[in-house]
Amino acid sequence: MPTSQRAVHDLSLYTAEPGSSHEERLRFLASWSAPGPRSTSTTSAPDRSADRGGK
């Protein structure tokens, strides 16, 4: 069902007390996340001129 133009969204954030067992558990769960995108500043893109029919 589409949302109305007056839809309200809530965002909840949870943190743990530094040094607590809860912080340790959150760090463990965070370790399961997918890695972020790699930076392209240190690598160059492959040459695709042959793919485009270039010389």
Side-chain angles (χ1 to χ4, degrees):
M1 173 164 50
T3 59
S4 73
Q5 292 179 347
R6 295 182 56 150
V8 176
H9 302 278
D10 291 326
L11 175 65
S12 298
L13 301 174
Y14 297 93
T15 62
E17 185 73 29
S20 69
S21 63
H22 297 285
E23 181 188 38
E24 182 181 332
R25 292 171 188 158
L26 282 174
R27 287 187 190 275
F28 177 68
L29 288 174
S31 72
W32 294 356
S33 67
R38 291 185 177 182
S39 172
T40 58
S41 62
T42 58
T43 60
S44 60
D47 181 14
R48 299 283 187 200
S49 60
D51 296 342
R52 295 187 305 269
K55 295 177 186 168

